[in-house]
Amino acid sequence: MSTVAAPVDVLPLYRTMVLIRRFEEEAERQYKAARIGGYCHLSSGQEAATVGTVEAMHADDLLVTGYRCHGFALARGVPPEAVMAELFGRRDGCAHGRGGSMHLLDASRGYYGGWGIVGGQLPIATGMALSLARREERRAVLCELGDGAVNMGAWHESLNLAAVWRLPIVFLVVNNEYGMGTSVERASAEPDLFKRAGAYRMKGERVDGDDLEAVIEVAGRLLEEARGERRPAVLEALTYRFRGHSVADAGLAYRTREEIAEHREADPLERTKALLRDRGASAEEIEAAEAAAAEAVERATEFALADPAPALDRLAAGMYAPGSASQFERMVPGSPIGERELVYGGGLGE
Amino acid sequence: MSTVAAPVDVLPLYRTMVLIRRFEEEAERQYKAARIGGYCHLSSGQEAATVGTVEAMHADDLLVTGYRCHGFALARGVPPEAVMAELFGRRDGCAHGRGGSMHLLDASRGYYGGWGIVGGQLPIATGMALSLARREERRAVLCELGDGAVNMGAWHESLNLAAVWRLPIVFLVVNNEYGMGTSVERASAEPDLFKRAGAYRMKGERVDGDDLEAVIEVAGRLLEEARGERRPAVLEALTYRFRGHSVADAGLAYRTREEIAEHREADPLERTKALLRDRGASAEEIEAAEAAAAEAVERATEFALADPAPALDRLAAGMYAPGSASQFERMVPGSPIGERELVYGGGLGE
Amino acid sequence: MKEDGEPHVAEPAAAGVETMTYREALRLAMRQEMERDERVFVMGEEVGLFDGSYKVTAGLLDEFGPDRVRDTPISEEGFVGAGVGAAMLGERPIVEIMTLNFLLVAMDQVVNHAAKIGAMFGGEVRCPMVIRTPNGAGNQLTAQHSQSFDGWFAGTPGLKVVAPATPDDAKGLLKAAVRDEDPVLVIENLPIYKEKGEVRLDPELTTPIGLAAVAREGADLTVVSHSFATVRALRVAEKLAAERGVSVEVVDLRSLRPLDVETVAASVAKTNRVLCVEEGWPTYGVTAELAARIQHACFDDLDAPVERLGMAEVPLPYAKELELAAMPTEERIEAAVLRTLALAG
Amino acid sequence: MKEDGEPHVAEPAAAGVETMTYREALRLAMRQEMERDERVFVMGEEVGLFDGSYKVTAGLLDEFGPDRVRDTPISEEGFVGAGVGAAMLGERPIVEIMTLNFLLVAMDQVVNHAAKIGAMFGGEVRCPMVIRTPNGAGNQLTAQHSQSFDGWFAGTPGLKVVAPATPDDAKGLLKAAVRDEDPVLVIENLPIYKEKGEVRLDPELTTPIGLAAVAREGADLTVVSHSFATVRALRVAEKLAAERGVSVEVVDLRSLRPLDVETVAASVAKTNRVLCVEEGWPTYGVTAELAARIQHACFDDLDAPVERLGMAEVPLPYAKELELAAMPTEERIEAAVLRTLALAG
Ligand SMILES: Cc1ncc(C[n+]2csc(CCOP(=O)(O)OP(=O)(O)O)c2C)c(N)n1
Ligand SMILES: Cc1ncc(C[n+]2csc(CCOP(=O)(O)OP(=O)(O)O)c2C)c(N)n1
Ligand SMILES: [Mg+2]
Ligand SMILES: [Mg+2]
């Protein structure tokens, strides 16, 4: 992936942005077709912030996010097949069908989830940065959170720990103006969220999250300071969520159609396409990128449709580490109905 | 009590400061004599910050503190007898012997405790301010906490709520340089604690907590802004804890004898006595105040010694409101051994 | 039949009866209590402008305004504690937590503060607050969003915990909780919100805290349950009566603290066989306490061991098939009932 | 006699045996594991410069330095979560929480994060962390500082929970926890820190997780307990044997999840009478699960109902007399044993 210095090759990034948009449109269709369940949070409108920050990461940096994570997983290179299969709850999903939309991950790519409790991922990402620091590795953690998460106690404790211990971590606040139906102004006494970094003598910057190149530049700079000087930072990316909070929310109770339309005018996909043209990309190249993205989504859906469900006799798989089954052997007598078959016989500790 | 404008009558305040010092010296003696148990946190060295801030409160303002609260209770006018009896665990203690040193209170004086979980009192005090705001009363809450408590998530959530809802509350950070054995610098990435108010667009001020008049002035001003304009604020009072964290801690593992000696040089009691002399108070007046304080402590101890222990057959008293006993009647069958006598027969709901 | 278990409940009044969902019954209770008492106000994430993430508070903002239907930032520890403080000054806050899972971040305020106030301060102050929140699973919400910690709160002296199973009790118990002088946790449930039932509209009717109900009379076996597990159990009971002539009595706990052991024991003394069902994990759960109480109170009445059924003890997986296999579905309850009867010989 | 319950435990090795306190045994375990494995580090409030608020970590800072004995700000949610993150990358953090009461502010990180990782991410990542913390009461620390929530964690699938009663098991179980690939909560106890006992020094000896011990053999009645309640029970057993010729068997659970029901059931099958004792509140507590398991596994063996004893169900009062009345003291355990025997005949 590019370092800060290198010139940005926009075309592949544009393709990834389109991939995310098309992927989530397909996910919504499949949700309506009842092939995807649970909560499903789309990020349409946030693609530049997503792709730009991940582009600024090194291959060995670590990524931790909240539950609105389809885009981050795809941008980090998790195969669309594995992501769609996870949304379908299938065996070959990136979490083997056990996590779903909110709990994507791919440890082989340094992506450690995909977390559903607002703010809960912050202390964990901070601990990962602590581990990198203990091993004196020149790597950093990028931890994504939403504008609503900055009011959780976990934000405060994590930022203070990261700063007092000088940990290599960048807290990426994706400010899409709302936490469910609550605007930033109604939730945060300091609505300029990046300024809250000051409470920890930490650097805080704000960027137009829909400006791909600007995002890459500032994210790259902050990540490099984290890697090189162990300087943690807050990066606030201003963007907008086109859709509702989740596919279950029409997203109109707390904002006007006009407001949404206005933001759609400035769709980051269009802005990036314009940038490509300025850079001399041909219509053919652009169409080819868009077609490639569309095909990738098609392949992902086909894969997910064909992928089998997780084995029913493995209900307890993964819960405990291999070898744990013997620790639980003596717990069986008098257990509640079903435990024998479902848990003790369900792959416990395998 | 005095408003901001009125000139400060230092003599009675000096008497209260001496009362606190003598009271806690006696408490330590009684602790060593095994008449007081549990945790016992002394505030020697912090008397000016304690008495000054309470002096700035109006009679109908509300006070909430942490567990280092003997001084605050006495300054607020809780009778020394009731405080000492509580430390002894006696019937007529301010919490009827059920709270002890950490959980003093006196609702009749607007003192709502006396809390033992670091930071736990902040959301509660914030809710009291919310109640005052809902009723549009011109009153404020003074919420005390320590320098170590500013790193708890509860601090962050409470300050944000107070600011976004514009609540009448002043968060008093008693910065005595250490949280147990951890110095402010080792715990807080922003060691100028008052500056953290900025993360909520809240006013934050710092005062020499050993300067009685300065404390009264700034606390009075901030409380008045809270009452009148619903402007919450943070007030950091710089002071020093002469003794260990609790009577069980010698207080030397994490600081030098020299450091302690240096601070004892600037004992707020001596500074206030000097102030009194400058103001023309006679040696007799000063001695009289000191003697009065000493006598008050003696009376308190005598009272506590004579006060009976709480009735043993009332173990469950207070846990639930009157009338609750009938709700629990049907819970008795099959209950653990002792519940019948100790709980259901122990004043439950009376 | 519901009346059997609740002698103290007044008869349906002039106000009459109406069929509505559990969700609507909760809303009716809040509206009635807010109209009755100025001190009552609702606070939580998305309770106002968004109409509640599960729409329980829908419309209340327009009716009572933003001071009494207060949207909060995402700060459960902060606003649960704010409820505690307001209650200590005599307010009657109803704090909504979006789902029980999120109460974990506010655990300290509930267990170490709200529950302690009465006793720790010698009865000098009280904390008359209500916390409302749904537990439960079943919509593929996965491991972090599909839990029921009912027993943890029911095991905390100083708290009262109720978990209604019918719309009428949802209204009656929420109102009783609001009027109670102690902190009361009202445990609702996600799938139960859409369940319908007759609700007695009388604004003065409440369901007493600490009183279970015999939701269905039967002779062969007793199922003890609360919240959505009771809804499932009643369906199974009807099915078994129709298809196999098995007569199942269903005791709906309604309150978990205080726990009405008397009603449970009376039923077991009659049927001699009992299955305890809960939506959450049974080991160290609500059904553990039930089994402990029943084996003691009914030692000579039991023809078979007390059986328990709940959610399989794994963090709930996302895949629909796996989730279904783990839940205490009607199929699993039916099988458990038959097994308990079989065990009895 | 201790060996009876633990066939899998290797014999005392050359390293020999030494008498030390429970506190020293924990320290020895940490020192041995830190010497053995670079990835092991200790983190918590006052564990370093202050030598630990209960002195368990005393001296470790000098020995291993501030990176491996890390003092933290007062931010339990933050540093427990930091332990989770470090463990996910393969570290072996030992997080000390000053007392179990304070774990309430970090509940979400333990229950909704650490416990979920293995299953929720399909086994792709693990969380091999240890959380050490003392429960218990008895020093007039009052309502907010005298609690035992052991059952809440033991009831959380994804966690493992141990609660040693002897110095040897304190060393053996803490070491087993450090070497385990899953999150393990090691519940210690305030009054137990000063208890002395023989400790097998062999750095390779661990006490297996999930295995109870018959701490004392007896014929008339079984007492099942863990942590400090076991210490109390053993004293009562000796006293009753000496004074009344009553023969009490004491089963020390040692692990709460997994729970060794086999060893408990085998004992009850022999004695036919059982009293379950815990330091915390029994209703919805550990003894509730024990009673539920025993009445099921030993239905035909019991001559009397399973009895339970724990802390009286009130927020613990400060006054010494009241606190003493509420605790499961040796006097109360003795009376409960006699009552359980009487009931039986
Ligand atoms: C502790 C907690 N409280 C509440 C929720 C429910 N919830 C899920 S997402 C969300 C809004 C978060 O908004 P924001 O942080 O801005 O992220 P966005 O959804 O805009 O990406 C809420 C309240 C939760 N998951 N966790
Ligand atoms: C949540 C929580 N964690 C830890 C403790 C243990 N503890 C009690 S006092 C204290 C230090 C607090 O220091 P500070 O806030 O500076 O107040 P001070 O003691 O100096 O008055 C700690 C860590 C606690 N009571 N609550
Ligand atoms: Mg947002
Ligand atoms: Mg301090």
Side-chain angles (χ1 to χ4, degrees):
Chain A
M1 298 182 190
S2 78
T3 66
V4 190
V8 180
D9 178 3
V10 180
L11 195 57
L13 301 180
Y14 175 69
R15 189 176 59 238
T16 305
M17 289 170 67
V18 177
L19 169 67
I20 295 170
R21 180 72 56 91
R22 300 286 163 264
F23 184 97
E24 290 195 315
E25 286 164 355
E26 173 67 5
E28 183 167 19
R29 276 190 295 275
Q30 295 297 339
Y31 190 96
K32 299 220 163 94
R35 292 202 188 86
I36 295 175
Y39 294 129
C40 189
H41 308 89
L42 309 180
S43 61
S44 308
Q46 306 179 187
E47 292 88 351
T50 306
V51 173
T53 49
V54 173
E55 172 66 11
M57 294 174 66
H58 285 180
D60 62 355
D61 286 337
L62 303 177
L63 176 66
V64 177
T65 73
Y67 48 83
R68 197 177 298 279
C69 56
H70 307 150
F72 282 94
L74 294 168
R76 188 59 177 172
V78 184
E81 290 81 358
V83 178
M84 191 64 83
E86 190 55 40
L87 269 53
F88 275 54
R90 300 306 175 90
R91 185 194 64 194
D92 300 312
C94 55
H96 305 296
R98 289 163 192 276
S101 167
M102 299 190 288
H103 307 302
L104 304 173
L105 89 159
D106 186 339
S108 72
R109 292 177 169 83
Y111 178 33
Y112 284 93
W115 300 86
I117 302 300
V118 168
Q121 73 274 30
L122 274 70
I124 293 173
T126 302
M128 292 183 174
L130 171 62
S131 178
L132 295 180
R134 288 193 65 227
R135 302 189 230 154
E136 291 176 347
E137 295 188 21
R138 212 169 178 296
R139 300 159 62 189
V141 177
L142 180 71
C143 176
E144 181 268 351
L145 61 139
D147 51 274
V150 302
N151 299 311
M152 290 294 289
W155 154 273
H156 175 66
E157 296 190 11
S158 301
L159 268 71
N160 185 61
L161 288 179
V164 81
W165 289 342
R166 302 197 85 236
L167 303 180
I169 183 168
V170 174
F171 295 96
L172 168 66
V173 181
V174 175
N175 181 347
N176 58 12
E177 298 192 23
Y178 296 90
M180 289 189 79
T182 306
S183 66
V184 170
E185 292 63 32
R186 290 205 298 146
S188 296
E190 172 50 271
D192 295 338
L193 305 180
F194 69 100
K195 293 181 180 169
R196 282 190 164 172
Y200 316 96
R201 291 198 179 171
M202 197 186 283
K203 182 185 283 188
E205 295 199 27
R206 173 181 267 177
V207 66
D208 173 353
D210 299 337
D211 179 337
L212 181 65
E213 290 191 305
V215 169
I216 295 172
E217 186 279 322
V218 58
R221 187 158 39 75
L222 295 178
L223 281 166
E224 189 52 28
E225 287 174 11
R227 287 183 210 106
E229 300 150 51
R230 293 252 186 97
R231 288 248 240 93
V234 168
L235 171 57
E236 177 184 11
L238 293 179
T239 181
Y240 194 79
R241 156 166 66 72
F242 290 169
R243 311 304 313 279
H245 169 66
S246 75
V247 295
D249 166 36
L252 290 166
Y254 46 89
R255 55 186 192 177
T256 64
R257 291 179 186 285
E258 294 62 40
E259 177 183 310
I260 301 170
E262 217 169 85
H263 282 279
R264 282 190 177 277
E265 285 299 305
D267 188 330
L269 256 62
E270 294 308 317
R271 276 177 71 173
T272 309
K273 189 190 283 196
L275 175 70
L276 272 171
R277 293 212 192 80
D278 300 348
R279 294 290 169 81
S282 70
E284 295 65 30
E285 288 176 296
I286 293 174
E287 277 160 27
E290 292 167 347
E295 283 154 30
V297 172
E298 260 179 53
R299 279 196 307 277
T301 306
E302 281 160 20
F303 178 88
L305 283 166
D307 195 24
L312 264 176
D313 61 356
R314 312 278 300 148
L315 185 62
M319 170 167 55
Y320 291 109
S324 300
S326 63
Q327 296 175 336
F328 281 83
E329 270 167 9
R330 306 169 70 89
M331 191 169 179
V332 177
S335 54
I337 290 174
E339 287 299 288
R340 263 172 222 273
E341 305 71 27
L342 295 171
V343 178
Y344 302 109
L348 179 77
E350 291 162 38
Chain B
M1 298 183 189
S2 79
T3 66
V4 192
V8 181
D9 178 3
V10 181
L11 194 58
L13 302 180
Y14 174 69
R15 189 176 57 236
T16 305
M17 290 170 67
V18 177
L19 169 67
I20 294 170
R21 181 71 57 91
R22 301 287 162 262
F23 183 97
E24 291 195 315
E25 287 164 355
E26 173 68 6
E28 184 166 19
R29 276 190 294 275
Q30 295 298 338
Y31 189 95
K32 299 218 162 95
R35 292 203 187 85
I36 296 174
Y39 294 129
C40 189
H41 308 90
L42 309 181
S43 61
S44 308
Q46 306 179 185
E47 292 89 350
T50 305
V51 172
T53 49
V54 173
E55 171 66 11
M57 293 174 67
H58 285 182
D60 62 355
D61 286 336
L62 304 177
L63 175 68
V64 177
T65 74
Y67 48 83
R68 197 177 298 279
C69 56
H70 307 151
F72 282 94
L74 293 169
R76 188 60 176 171
V78 184
E81 291 80 358
V83 178
M84 191 64 84
E86 190 56 38
L87 269 54
F88 275 53
R90 302 304 175 92
R91 185 192 66 193
D92 300 312
C94 55
H96 305 294
R98 289 164 191 276
S101 167
M102 299 191 288
H103 306 302
L104 304 173
L105 90 159
D106 185 340
S108 73
R109 291 177 170 83
Y111 178 34
Y112 284 93
W115 300 87
I117 302 300
V118 169
Q121 74 274 31
L122 274 70
I124 292 173
T126 302
M128 291 182 175
L130 171 62
S131 178
L132 296 180
R134 287 192 66 228
R135 303 190 229 153
E136 290 175 348
E137 296 187 21
R138 212 169 177 298
R139 302 158 60 189
V141 177
L142 179 72
C143 176
E144 181 269 351
L145 62 139
D147 52 274
V150 302
N151 298 310
M152 291 293 290
W155 154 273
H156 175 65
E157 296 190 11
S158 301
L159 268 71
N160 186 61
L161 288 179
V164 83
W165 289 342
R166 307 199 81 235
L167 304 180
I169 182 168
V170 174
F171 295 97
L172 168 67
V173 181
V174 176
N175 182 347
N176 58 11
E177 297 191 23
Y178 297 90
M180 289 188 77
T182 307
S183 66
V184 170
E185 293 63 31
R186 290 205 299 143
S188 295
E190 172 50 271
D192 295 337
L193 305 179
F194 69 100
K195 292 182 180 169
R196 283 191 163 170
Y200 316 95
R201 291 196 179 173
M202 199 187 280
K203 181 184 284 190
E205 294 197 30
R206 174 180 268 177
V207 66
D208 173 353
D210 298 337
D211 179 338
L212 181 66
E213 289 191 308
V215 170
I216 295 172
E217 185 280 320
V218 57
R221 186 158 40 74
L222 295 178
L223 281 166
E224 188 53 28
E225 287 174 10
R227 285 182 212 107
E229 300 149 50
R230 294 251 185 97
R231 290 248 242 97
V234 168
L235 172 56
E236 177 184 11
L238 293 178
T239 181
Y240 193 80
R241 154 165 69 71
F242 289 168
R243 312 302 313 280
H245 169 67
S246 74
V247 295
D249 166 35
L252 290 165
Y254 46 89
R255 57 186 192 178
T256 63
R257 290 179 188 285
E258 294 62 41
E259 178 184 308
I260 300 170
E262 218 169 83
H263 282 280
R264 280 189 179 279
E265 285 300 306
D267 188 332
L269 256 62
E270 294 309 317
R271 277 177 69 173
T272 308
K273 189 189 281 195
L275 175 70
L276 272 171
R277 293 210 193 82
D278 300 347
R279 293 291 169 80
S282 69
E284 293 65 29
E285 286 177 301
I286 292 173
E287 277 159 27
E290 292 167 345
E295 282 155 31
V297 173
E298 260 180 53
R299 279 196 307 277
T301 305
E302 281 162 21
F303 178 86
L305 283 167
D307 196 23
L312 264 176
D313 61 355
R314 313 276 303 148
L315 185 63
M319 171 167 55
Y320 290 109
S324 300
S326 63
Q327 296 175 337
F328 281 82
E329 270 168 10
R330 306 169 69 90
M331 192 170 180
V332 177
S335 55
I337 290 174
E339 287 300 288
R340 263 173 221 275
E341 305 71 25
L342 295 171
V343 179
Y344 301 110
L348 179 77
E350 290 161 39
Chain C
M1 212 170 290
K2 215 163 136 319
E3 292 307 318
D4 297 0
E6 43 186 32
H8 314 8
V9 177
E11 285 310 298
V17 172
E18 193 179 302
T19 298
M20 64 179 78
T21 62
Y22 189 104
R23 174 185 284 113
E24 291 164 336
L26 289 167
R27 190 182 306 145
L28 173 62
M30 286 189 274
R31 179 180 293 113
Q32 287 181 346
E33 292 307 295
M34 288 174 88
E35 281 165 354
R36 183 185 62 83
D37 185 344
E38 256 300 311
R39 302 168 306 172
V40 179
F41 69 99
V42 177
M43 172 163 66
E45 291 157 13
E46 309 301 335
V47 295
L49 196 56
F50 198 83
D51 270 345
S53 34
Y54 296 103
K55 307 305 170 198
V56 176
T57 55
L60 294 181
L61 173 63
D62 297 341
E63 205 170 332
F64 297 97
D67 173 60
R68 296 188 69 192
V69 181
R70 182 176 293 267
D71 280 324
T72 67
I74 311 173
S75 307
E76 284 84 357
E77 184 177 19
F79 66 79
V80 167
V84 173
M88 286 178 77
L89 293 191
E91 308 267 4
R92 290 290 185 274
I94 300 175
V95 176
E96 175 178 304
I97 297 293
M98 211 175 277
T99 77
L100 183 56
N101 305 280
F102 312 141
L103 202 47
L104 290 183
V105 295
M107 204 72 180
D108 177 64
Q109 284 298 322
V110 178
V111 173
N112 235 349
H113 292 83
K116 301 295 184 278
I117 289 166
M120 186 169 83
F121 291 127
E124 290 289 320
V125 280
R126 305 228 61 84
C127 180
M129 87 185 285
V130 173
I131 299 176
R132 288 182 38 239
T133 188
N135 71 2
N139 290 316
Q140 289 184 267
L141 303 185
T142 320
Q144 294 187 309
H145 290 80
S146 306
Q147 302 167 101
S148 304
F149 307 115
D150 313 7
W152 300 3
F153 300 96
T156 301
L159 293 183
K160 293 173 183 175
V161 180
V162 299
T166 69
D168 191 65
D169 282 333
K171 164 179 170 281
L173 281 169
L174 176 51
K175 288 166 68 75
V178 171
R179 299 179 187 197
D180 200 273
E181 295 293 320
D182 292 313
V184 183
L185 175 65
V186 179
I187 298 178
E188 303 166 3
N189 172 275
L190 290 178
I192 212 172
Y193 281 140
K194 59 175 176 348
E195 293 293 321
K196 288 197 160 128
E198 286 199 339
V199 173
R200 293 166 297 166
L201 304 175
D202 184 339
E204 282 321 307
L205 269 185
T206 64
T207 302
I209 292 173
L211 187 67
V214 175
R216 184 183 193 283
E217 283 193 333
D220 302 337
L221 170 142
T222 300
V223 171
V224 185
S225 54
H226 66 281
S227 189
F228 194 58
T230 294
V231 175
R232 300 185 196 260
L234 286 168
R235 291 185 187 137
V236 171
E238 293 305 330
K239 181 164 183 289
L240 284 172
E243 297 178 1
R244 298 177 168 245
V246 172
S247 170
V248 175
E249 178 148 305
V250 177
V251 173
D252 176 22
L253 293 171
R254 303 201 293 190
S255 291
L256 298 179
R257 189 179 197 94
L259 181 69
D260 179 358
V261 182
E262 275 186 22
T263 298
V264 173
S267 175
V268 175
K270 183 177 77 175
T271 62
N272 312 114
R273 300 173 180 85
V274 58
L275 168 69
C276 305
V277 185
E278 67 187 296
E279 290 292 304
W281 296 305
T283 298
Y284 295 101
V286 171
T287 53
E289 181 61 25
L290 288 171
R293 293 302 187 109
I294 293 167
Q295 64 86 29
H296 195 285
C298 309
F299 188 68
D300 299 323
D301 301 315
L302 287 168
D303 291 346
V306 181
E307 293 289 350
R308 298 187 287 159
L309 176 67
M311 185 158 79
E313 295 182 1
V314 296
L316 208 62
Y318 167 76
K320 187 81 218 156
E321 302 82 350
L322 292 180
E323 182 185 50
L324 214 58
M327 307 268 302
T329 55
E330 290 170 39
E331 295 65 27
R332 291 187 64 213
I333 294 172
E334 181 177 346
V337 167
L338 295 175
R339 177 166 152 183
T340 308
L341 285 167
L343 260 176
Chain D
M1 208 167 294
K2 208 160 143 323
E3 293 307 317
D4 296 1
E6 42 187 34
H8 314 6
V9 177
E11 285 310 301
V17 171
E18 193 179 304
T19 298
M20 63 180 79
T21 62
Y22 190 104
R23 173 186 284 113
E24 290 164 336
L26 289 167
R27 190 183 304 144
L28 173 63
M30 286 188 274
R31 179 181 292 113
Q32 287 182 347
E33 291 306 295
M34 287 174 88
E35 281 165 352
R36 184 185 62 84
D37 185 345
E38 257 299 314
R39 302 168 305 170
V40 179
F41 69 99
V42 176
M43 171 163 67
E45 291 156 14
E46 308 301 335
V47 295
L49 195 57
F50 198 85
D51 270 344
S53 34
Y54 296 104
K55 307 305 171 200
V56 176
T57 56
L60 295 181
L61 172 64
D62 296 343
E63 206 171 332
F64 297 96
D67 174 60
R68 295 187 71 191
V69 180
R70 181 174 293 267
D71 280 324
T72 67
I74 310 173
S75 307
E76 284 84 358
E77 184 176 20
F79 67 78
V80 167
V84 174
M88 287 178 77
L89 294 191
E91 308 268 2
R92 290 289 184 276
I94 300 175
V95 176
E96 174 178 304
I97 297 292
M98 210 174 276
T99 78
L100 183 55
N101 306 281
F102 312 141
L103 201 47
L104 290 184
V105 295
M107 204 72 180
D108 178 64
Q109 283 299 320
V110 178
V111 174
N112 235 349
H113 292 83
K116 301 295 185 278
I117 288 165
M120 187 169 83
F121 291 127
E124 290 289 320
V125 281
R126 305 228 61 85
C127 181
M129 86 185 286
V130 172
I131 299 176
R132 289 182 38 239
T133 188
N135 71 1
N139 290 314
Q140 289 185 267
L141 303 185
T142 319
Q144 295 187 307
H145 289 79
S146 306
Q147 302 168 102
S148 305
F149 306 116
D150 313 8
W152 300 4
F153 299 96
T156 300
L159 294 182
K160 293 173 182 175
V161 180
V162 299
T166 68
D168 191 66
D169 281 333
K171 164 179 171 281
L173 281 168
L174 177 51
K175 287 167 70 75
V178 170
R179 299 180 186 196
D180 201 273
E181 295 294 320
D182 292 312
V184 183
L185 175 65
V186 179
I187 298 178
E188 303 166 2
N189 171 275
L190 290 178
I192 212 172
Y193 281 139
K194 58 176 179 346
E195 292 293 321
K196 286 199 162 121
E198 285 199 336
V199 173
R200 293 164 298 166
L201 304 174
D202 184 340
E204 282 320 306
L205 270 185
T206 64
T207 302
I209 292 172
L211 187 66
V214 176
R216 184 184 194 283
E217 282 193 336
D220 302 337
L221 169 143
T222 300
V223 171
V224 185
S225 54
H226 66 281
S227 188
F228 195 57
T230 294
V231 176
R232 301 185 196 260
L234 286 168
R235 293 188 185 134
V236 171
E238 293 306 328
K239 182 164 183 288
L240 284 172
E243 298 179 2
R244 296 176 170 248
V246 172
S247 170
V248 175
E249 177 149 305
V250 177
V251 173
D252 176 21
L253 293 172
R254 304 200 294 188
S255 291
L256 299 178
R257 189 180 198 93
L259 181 70
D260 179 358
V261 181
E262 276 185 20
T263 298
V264 173
S267 175
V268 175
K270 184 177 76 174
T271 62
N272 312 116
R273 301 174 179 81
V274 57
L275 168 69
C276 305
V277 185
E278 67 187 298
E279 289 293 303
W281 296 305
T283 298
Y284 294 101
V286 171
T287 53
E289 182 61 24
L290 288 171
R293 292 301 187 110
I294 294 167
Q295 65 85 30
H296 195 286
C298 310
F299 188 69
D300 299 322
D301 301 314
L302 287 168
D303 291 345
V306 181
E307 293 289 351
R308 299 187 287 161
L309 176 67
M311 184 159 81
E313 295 185 358
V314 297
L316 208 62
Y318 167 76
K320 188 80 218 157
E321 302 83 350
L322 293 179
E323 181 185 48
L324 214 58
M327 307 267 302
T329 55
E330 290 170 37
E331 293 66 26
R332 290 187 65 214
I333 294 173
E334 180 177 346
V337 167
L338 295 175
R339 177 166 152 185
T340 307
L341 286 167
L343 260 175

